[in-house]
Structures are given as C-alpha cells and as structure tokens.
Amino acid sequence: MALAGKRVVVTRPRELAQGLAALIAQAGGEPLLFPAIEIRDPQDPALVRKLLGRLREFDLAVFVSPSAVRKALELAEGRDWPRVAAVGEGTRRELEQCGFRDVIAPAGRADSEALLALPALAQVAGSRVLILRGAGGRELLVETLAARGAKVETAECYRRVRPAAGTPPPPEGRIDAVCVSSGEALVNLAAMLGNERLAGTPVFVSHPRVAAQAAELGLRHPVLAGPGDADMLAALVAYFGDAK
C-alpha cells in the first residue's frame, strides 16, 4: 500500500478521472476528485455534424484527446471513418475501445510533436486530413501537416471550460499531492484553490510544458510524471517511497 494515508487530488474532467482514482485507491491512497476542467458540447453542434458528414472525403482523421474521440463519435452518428491517428496512448486506447484498429499513435510521449515524428505522418502531400479537437487547441498539427502538403480541416467537437465557483467544492483538510494533465487545468486549479494552498504541495504533471507553467505560477514542487494513469501512479509511488 505505497500511498497509504496520502490524500491525492485528481483534477481530470469527472468522466475521465475514475481510472486514476481507482489506481490511487488500490495503492492505499485517498483520491479527491476535483475537476479543474469541464468538457461541454461544441458551441455549434450542427456545424460539426455537417463537417463529419463529409468523412468519406478524408484520408486520415487525427484525434487529439479521449474527449475528442467520445464527442466526435457521438456527433458522427455511426458514419464510417478513414484511417485514424491519436495523440498519445490514452487517446489510442479510447479509439481501440470503440472498435478502431491499426491506430497511428506514438509510444510514450503524448503530444503533437511525437505524433508528427512518426513515419506515417511524414509523407502526407496531397492527403486530406481532419483534426478532431477541442475549441482553442494548439495549431502545431494543422500548421505542420499543411506545410507537408496536406489539406487540413479541423472539427472543434467539444469545449473545455473552468467549473463554476464552488462546483465542485474544494477538498477540505490536508492535501499531499495534486495530479494535473494539462496547462489549462493547472491555471484553472490555481484560480480555484489559490496558489497559497498549492505552493508547498507536490504537483504531478503530464508534460514538461505543464511543469514549466507550474514554475511560472510559483509552484515550487512540480513533478514530471507522464500522460497516462499508470505514469501518474508510478510517479506518486516513487515520490512518496523516496520520501520515507
């Protein structure tokens, strides 16, 4: 029970938090669910449905997150998909659970840079690519694939928003660790809990970019874990094991 007695805040959206929460509990810890991001429908679902009605025109569909998979499949209403790619293992697993096979995805790192480094995305000149993402996503995939000669369109099939004040209520009592999977969630968390409460708490982050943001916010203890639930758990176990 490597995390016995440890109270760990999980900031993933509620629908994506259960896996990590279960792993923390299995290791003896107490997971505290405190979503720092809510996933909502797109501003104009009809517009996204219209774009997804043209799926047969595309050679490749790139999903940037598990939420993109869930929302896009819901809005696509059973249409056939072209070949698919995923930014990271979590998104790949979500696609495979929905019946997709031969998903193009990087191993280990879960970011656009790792996906773009794969040979399958090196030669895309003349291809039509659809990127499925949340509103306001990074432009690196769009810009790089377009520079490589692809014709790229985007479907913003969900929105990420900060939960309203007091919903959910902030965790009470001692916090031993916080798990954060994106820079946006980190900024929201600091606004929702206050930097003072986080200042002396180890914050386990998914990517070096998020660790850099933590430092910019004045959080002195960012711990680089990884994008997946197993990565987060391994980092938590190693940290608290070394602290004994």
Side-chain angles (χ1 to χ4, degrees):
M1 307 295 280
L3 300 181
K6 303 302 180 185
R7 307 179 81 234
V8 182
V9 174
V10 178
T11 63
R12 293 186 190 277
R14 190 167 297 278
E15 60 269 31
L16 300 175
Q18 300 304 321
L20 179 55
L23 290 176
I24 291 168
Q26 289 168 14
E30 180 185 355
L32 306 173
L33 300 187
F34 187 66
I37 284 180
E38 287 183 3
I39 302 299
R40 294 187 183 173
D41 290 337
Q43 198 73 43
D44 189 347
L47 182 64
V48 181
R49 287 192 183 95
K50 183 177 180 181
L51 177 56
L52 295 177
R54 297 170 38 225
L55 280 175
R56 67 180 63 187
E57 300 176 14
F58 293 94
D59 303 297
L60 179 69
V62 181
F63 295 83
V64 304
S65 69
S67 293
V69 175
R70 295 183 182 192
K71 290 295 187 180
L73 294 188
E74 178 184 314
L75 293 167
E77 300 174 336
R79 291 184 174 88
D80 292 333
W81 288 84
R83 194 176 187 190
V84 298
V87 176
E89 290 290 312
T91 307
R92 177 187 61 77
R93 285 193 298 271
E94 191 75 27
L95 283 165
E96 290 177 345
Q97 289 169 6
C98 294
F100 289 88
R101 297 291 177 265
D102 302 319
V103 178
I104 302 167
R109 285 174 55 196
D111 56 24
S112 299
E113 291 86 347
L115 178 62
L116 289 166
L118 296 179
L121 273 76
Q123 304 296 328
V124 293
S127 298
R128 296 178 65 94
V129 180
L130 178 63
I131 298 175
L132 300 120
R133 64 184 189 179
R138 295 176 72 202
E139 295 299 323
L140 181 64
L141 278 172
V142 175
E143 293 170 355
T144 304
L145 292 174
R148 293 176 181 178
K151 184 172 183 180
V152 184
E153 295 185 57
T154 61
E156 296 187 340
C157 48
Y158 64 98
R159 293 176 294 140
R160 300 176 299 271
V161 301
R162 181 188 299 174
T167 55
E172 298 180 354
R174 187 189 79 254
I175 295 174
D176 295 300
V178 178
C179 296
V180 181
S181 296
S182 71
E184 187 175 2
L186 180 65
V187 171
N188 290 349
L189 181 68
M192 293 163 73
L193 284 186
N195 280 29
E196 299 81 7
R197 193 167 186 197
L198 295 173
T201 304
V203 179
F204 292 77
V205 300
S206 59
H207 193 277
R209 282 197 311 272
V210 188
Q213 285 180 279
E216 291 171 3
L217 288 170
L219 306 181
R220 297 190 297 273
H221 303 283
V223 180
L224 182 58
D229 292 345
D231 300 319
M232 284 287 182
L233 180 70
L236 286 163
V237 169
Y239 180 91
F240 288 111
D242 291 343
K244 290 179 180 178

